[in-house]
Every structure is written in C-alpha cells, then in structure tokens.
Amino acid sequence: MAEVKAVLVGVSNYYISGADDLPFCVNDIKELKNALISGLNVNEDCITSIGSDGDVKKEDFIDSLIKAQSELRTDDTLIFYFSGHGTTIEEKHYLVLSDDLISTNEVLEYFKEVGTRSKIIFLDCCLSGNYNVENSTEFDINKSVEEFHGNGYAVLSSSSATQLSYGHPEKPVSVFTSFLCSAITDRHIIKEGKKSLYDIKKLVSLYLSIWSRNNPRQPQFPIYRSSMGGTVFFDVEQYTPYKTDNIYKEYENYIIYKVDPVHTGSAKRYSVKVILKEPSSFEEISDISKLVVDEIRSVEVYSNSISERHWTGRLANIVWIYYGRDESDHINNNYICHTTWIDNKQDSEWWYKVNGNNKLFINGVHFDVHTYYESLKAYINDNIGKKSKLVKEMKYILEQMLTLAEKVIFTYNEYLNEDISEEHLIEVLKPFEKKISEYYMKSNSLEGADNELHDWDAACFSLFGTIHDLTLFYSAEVFLNRDSENRKACMNMTIKRYYEDLNKVIQFEKELSGIIETIS
C-alpha cells in the first residue's frame, strides 16, 4: 500500500565561521511533523527527523537520505523538508549544515532520481529560490493518466533567490514553516476527503503575500517549480460519496430508466429518463407522461444530504420527462421529446410556453418536441468508431495535450516566480496556444464512442476543453480585456480544474482499464 514518507531536516547548531545558530529550526521540524500527522494523516513511523538535537553534520545528512531511499517503494510519496541557513556562492545555492555545505541543485538531482513516483521538497532557508528545475514533464502514450498524475518532483522554497528567510516574531518557528503548517492542517481545502499539493502551495503563497505586505522590510515570496505531471492528492479523511438512489421500473410499453434529482432551494424537481419500448404517438406519450408524473411526484431521490433534509416528505413541484427509444439515446442526451409538468405554485406562463411548432399541448400535457432527434440519432450511429481506433487516437491526443498543458503551467509558474514578465509569458505561450488549439480541433473530429467508452471519452473531451482554456487568459487577443489580477485568478482556477479533470479521467480509465490496455 502506498504511503507518504517524510525526511525532516532542521539545523540549529553551526560550527562554520559566520553561521549563527538558528534555535527555531529544531522547533520547525517538530511543528511540521505534527502538521503532517494531523493534516495529511502521515504515519508517525514514516517520518524521519534529522537534527532533533540541533546538529546535522554532512555525513549524517547524506546517510539519512540514502537510508530513506532504501525504504521507499515505487508508489510512495516522499516529502523532504530543510530548515536552516542557505547561502549563494558564485551564483550557486547551498544548504548549510552544521559542519559543511551541500549544493542545493545536487540534492534536487538526487531526489529527481529517487525511484518513487512523487517527491515534494520544501526549502526553508535564505535565498532558497536559487534552484533549477529544468523542464516540465511529458506524458508517455504507453502509460496511463494515473501513472502521469503526480509523477515527478516539485519544490517550494521559502523565499526568492535574493530574499532572506526569517524567524517568526511571535512564534518559536520560522515564518515560512508557520504558514506551511497552517496550510497543511487547513480543513477548508479538503475536497472529497483529499488535499492537494496545489492548494497547499496556493495557501502558503497567499499567507506570505499578506506577510510581505504587512512586513515590507522583511518580504518573502515563495518560489514553486515542478517537473511533476499534474499534482499530488493526499487522502486525509474518510470520504463516502453521497449515494443517489436510482429508480428503474419496467412496464408493458415503457421503462423508467433513470430519475435525476435537480432540486433547488425553492422547488423539488426531477428529470426523468424514459425508454419507449415500442413506437408511440404523442397522444400515447401524453398518457405515459401522466402515469409517470403520478408515480414520480412522491419519490425520494437526492444528490446530497442537504437537499434530502430539506425536501424529504414533500411532493415534487416540477417533473421533466425525456423520451428516447433505447439506452443509447439517454447516454447521448438525444430525445424524441420531453414533457413538463408543474404544480399550481409555479409560473405556468413561464413553464408552459407554446409556439404552435415544437412547443405545444397534447391532451393537457406540455410537449417540447426535439425535431432534430432522427437526424442526430442517425449521425451518432453513423459516426461511432471502432474502439481500437478511438482509443489509439484519443491516447495520442492525450499525449500531446497533457505535455503541452504542463509546459503552459511550468511557464506560468515562472511568471508567478517573477522570473519572466507578463509580456514575455504571452510571447512564450504563443506556440503552445497554437498547438493546443490544433489538437483540440483534432479531438473534436474524432469518431464517436460507443456506450461502453462513452464516459471515458466524455471525460477526455472535458479535460481537453480545460487545457484549451489554459490558453485564453494570456493570449494577445484578450489581454486588454482583463487586468493582471483577474488573469491570475482565472488561470489559477483553470489549473485547479485541470487537476480535477485529470482525476475524472483516471476514474473512468480504471473502470475500463482492461479494455484500454488491451487495445493500447
């Protein structure tokens, strides 16, 4: 079973000329250890603390890294943390140990080669932004999205290459570690039982931004660089998805295939999917509609516990019924028609609009006729491709789009790190925008998926759409329509959605793993 393992290094005592002792570094590793246990559910036995007595000699430091590596498995996540002096000599950054220096980039290169999928490095020392991560990662078409997501290493430093890192004026720890622990233990960033490295990084950046505004003589801006595909999600608490009940009932000439709750705060509403077992006239469908409404009005189907508590025991106010001829119609959201029923508390003029063409009443039932049904059904049937071809083409586009997405995010992070200007960012992103648009258009020209591959196919398309959105906010065409802060906010939200979309693709990828692997 995969585990999170941590190596925490705190150097408080120094025997090198010019290096003052740092008493708070011993406290830093204690605080972070507690934060990892309480905030990320890391097993205490999986945490190695080096420097609990204040001393960290170079030989002991290296031995500890070698020992930690020997205990790692390929699917583990490794967290490495350093608190102590940092210095730059001839433009190269060094971590300062009790008795010697060690090159920061050499340490990062070491972790780069460590044979576990996810490596996270936190550096809390002066000038710590002076490190390199050469390139973003690339997606390998022969691997799964799950193998890509979180694979690689990421580094978050306490300050830029020219800034000092400070002890906290009101706490016995450093400023950065205080905020890092707060972010790790924050409960508001938990979603579906998980916390992401991305959200932790964002929260630390927010805290340090506020700190720097309030302490202009002691600014600290964290630097984040990553060669990791996607991000890392930590399981922090038990999560049981709310189970939405489904109603499936079969009758002589129709099937209630699915009942979706679409309740609001002011109305209890159901969307009902019905399969017609035989060709039916609109008059016959109107009779079916009345029967379905009578049955569905009193059912209790909800998408969350809040809605359940609010609406249990009440009759439905609105019922939409969508009619198809087979399961494929409902999977592809292609319907012959849908009917609408409302109770007397609703606005009938709004819901019961009639235009004499496709919106009309038949036997007292309001119809919305989908005149494109036959042509769309024929188009869908004619364009369902072979599974083998679709999977291979989709995997190829995934390879290109994920690789490009990571390049865009890598470059954007360098802009956030203030290593490049916004104008330079726009120029660098231009070729990526062009290629992403090209592959996005290719994805839209792929043949359709059958019922079995439909959900995976749809998740991939949603991911491609999000990747395409990554190119919107720094394109020359829309640059003048937004200010700098708005561009950042939009980009950050889209990156977060990109990571969530990756998880959705993984979910369906797992369900179809046998099929996709066999075809691939």
Side-chain angles (χ1 to χ4, degrees):
M1 181 179 177
E3 293 180 303
V4 178
K5 297 180 179 177
V7 178
L8 313 182
V9 181
V11 190
S12 283
N13 301 332
Y14 285 92
Y15 312 110
I16 300 175
S17 176
D20 296 332
D21 289 348
L22 297 173
F24 57 78
C25 294
V26 169
N27 299 326
D28 281 346
I29 59 175
K30 292 177 182 176
E31 286 296 307
L32 185 57
K33 179 179 179 179
N34 292 333
L36 293 175
I37 293 170
S38 62
L40 297 185
N41 279 352
V42 180
N43 189 319
E44 185 174 1
D45 294 336
C46 293
I47 302 175
T48 300
S49 296
I50 307 170
S52 298
D53 61 353
D55 286 5
V56 181
K57 295 181 178 179
K58 187 172 183 178
E59 182 179 356
D60 296 332
F61 176 82
I62 293 172
D63 288 345
S64 298
L65 296 188
I66 293 172
K67 183 176 183 294
Q69 181 181 7
S70 68
E71 296 174 352
L72 287 169
R73 294 170 296 192
T74 56
D75 55 351
D76 285 340
T77 294
L78 172 65
I79 294 175
F80 172 78
Y81 166 86
F82 177 86
S83 175
H85 280 302
T87 188
T88 293
I89 301 174
E90 295 180 354
E91 299 185 356
K92 292 183 179 179
H93 191 265
Y94 293 85
L95 306 180
V96 185
L97 305 174
S98 292
D99 62 343
D100 206 347
L101 310 180
I102 188 165
S103 166
T104 303
N105 276 327
E106 284 183 18
V107 173
L108 297 183
E109 282 296 316
Y110 173 82
F111 283 116
K112 180 180 176 181
E113 301 303 323
V114 167
T116 188
R117 59 179 278 107
S118 304
K119 283 90 66 172
I120 301 166
I121 297 119
F122 298 115
L123 301 177
D124 188 356
C125 54
C126 293
L127 317 176
S128 53
N130 183 17
Y131 67 89
N132 296 317
V133 172
E134 292 181 358
N135 296 303
S136 60
T137 191
E138 296 184 358
F139 180 67
D140 184 346
I141 195 171
N142 297 310
K143 294 184 178 180
S144 65
V145 175
E146 183 177 22
E147 291 173 294
F148 169 81
H149 200 10
N151 192 355
Y153 72 105
V155 187
L156 179 64
S157 70
S158 60
S159 59
S160 74
T162 59
Q163 292 174 333
L164 302 180
S165 291
Y166 297 96
H168 200 290
E170 299 172 0
K171 301 177 183 179
V173 295
S174 73
V175 170
F176 174 78
T177 296
S178 171
F179 293 147
L180 177 61
C181 291
S182 294
I184 287 173
T185 55
D186 191 281
R187 294 195 56 80
H188 295 95
I189 61 174
I190 299 174
K191 184 174 182 180
E192 298 182 354
K194 299 177 185 293
K195 289 179 183 175
S196 73
L197 173 61
Y198 178 73
D199 282 333
I200 292 171
K201 184 267 291 186
K202 274 187 63 182
L203 202 49
V204 171
S205 297
L206 174 63
Y207 289 151
L208 279 172
S209 175
I210 295 170
W211 159 270
S212 297
R213 283 201 296 271
N214 293 333
N215 298 272
R217 294 184 179 181
Q218 296 179 319
Q220 281 187 232
F221 296 101
I223 301 299
Y224 179 80
R225 296 187 176 99
S226 171
S227 73
M228 181 180 289
T231 191
V232 175
F233 284 87
F234 300 93
D235 294 311
V236 299
E237 65 182 23
Q238 187 68 34
Y239 172 70
T240 303
Y242 184 90
K243 188 179 184 302
T244 299
D245 294 329
N246 184 41
I247 295 174
Y248 181 97
K249 292 188 177 182
E250 188 165 356
Y251 299 93
E252 182 178 354
N253 56 347
Y254 68 94
I255 298 170
I256 297 178
Y257 174 72
K258 191 176 183 182
V259 177
D260 290 322
V262 284
H263 313 310
T264 65
S266 59
K268 186 173 184 180
R269 317 186 308 178
Y270 288 115
S271 174
V272 186
K273 308 297 192 296
V274 170
I275 295 175
L276 298 171
K277 296 171 70 174
E278 56 189 41
S280 303
S281 66
F282 287 138
E283 287 76 11
E284 290 169 327
I285 291 175
S286 69
D287 292 336
I288 293 172
S289 184
K290 293 173 184 177
L291 294 173
V292 172
V293 167
D294 287 343
E295 180 164 359
I296 296 304
R297 281 201 71 196
S298 59
V299 302
E300 307 287 1
V301 181
Y302 305 97
S303 58
N304 56 66
S305 57
I306 296 174
S307 182
E308 181 179 10
R309 287 195 298 270
H310 184 71
W311 290 112
T312 294
R314 305 188 195 185
L315 295 175
N317 305 112
I318 304 176
V319 179
W320 294 282
I321 308 173
Y322 293 82
Y323 292 92
R325 291 178 182 166
D326 51 37
E327 184 180 40
S328 179
D329 284 344
H330 293 292
I331 289 174
N332 291 294
N333 296 312
N334 184 36
Y335 308 110
I336 299 168
C337 62
H338 75 266
T339 62
T340 302
W341 174 89
I342 61 172
D343 65 13
N344 56 16
K345 298 177 182 179
Q346 312 307 309
D347 184 353
S348 60
E349 290 188 9
W350 171 259
W351 293 112
Y352 285 163
K353 292 177 181 177
V354 173
N355 60 17
N357 186 14
N358 58 325
K359 297 179 186 292
L360 64 160
F361 275 94
I362 299 175
N363 292 340
V365 175
H366 184 269
F367 276 77
D368 194 323
V369 180
H370 297 200
T371 55
Y372 53 80
Y373 170 75
E374 292 291 352
S375 57
L376 181 55
K377 187 174 183 67
Y379 176 83
I380 291 170
N381 290 336
D382 291 343
N383 286 275
I384 292 177
K386 291 183 178 180
K387 285 181 181 178
S388 58
K389 182 182 178 185
L390 176 62
V391 169
K392 288 178 180 178
E393 290 178 342
M394 188 68 81
K395 289 274 284 185
Y396 173 72
I397 295 176
L398 274 169
E399 180 182 43
Q400 305 303 317
M401 289 286 268
L402 293 184
T403 298
L404 288 165
E406 295 298 331
K407 289 182 184 296
V408 169
I409 294 170
F410 185 92
T411 309
Y412 173 69
N413 282 332
E414 289 304 282
Y415 161 62
L416 295 182
N417 293 336
E418 298 186 355
D419 275 6
I420 61 174
S421 67
E422 196 171 42
E423 289 74 17
H424 188 197
L425 172 67
I426 292 171
E427 287 302 312
V428 173
L429 291 186
K430 280 183 179 179
F432 300 150
E433 293 170 9
K434 183 178 180 181
K435 289 182 179 178
I436 286 173
S437 293
E438 175 187 334
Y439 287 108
Y440 181 65
M441 294 303 295
K442 283 185 178 180
S443 73
N444 283 291
S445 65
L446 293 180
E447 293 182 323
D450 63 9
N451 293 351
E452 190 171 32
L453 291 179
H454 180 274
D455 289 343
W456 174 74
D457 180 78
C460 288
F461 276 120
S462 178
L463 174 61
F464 297 155
T466 298
I467 293 172
H468 186 263
D469 288 348
L470 288 173
T471 69
L472 298 179
F473 314 113
Y474 292 95
S475 65
E477 291 78 9
V478 300
F479 182 79
L480 296 177
N481 297 330
R482 301 175 185 271
D483 62 31
S484 177
E485 290 306 309
N486 179 263
R487 285 190 286 272
K488 287 180 183 177
C490 292
M491 190 69 166
N492 291 338
M493 286 189 292
T494 306
I495 291 172
K496 183 178 177 67
R497 178 156 48 93
Y498 165 69
Y499 295 144
E500 293 170 350
D501 284 352
L502 282 173
N503 274 343
K504 291 175 185 176
V505 171
I506 290 169
Q507 172 192 337
F508 295 116
E509 189 179 66
K510 286 180 178 178
E511 294 176 6
L512 298 169
S513 58
I515 296 171
I516 294 174
E517 288 171 8
T518 300
I519 293 173
S520 299

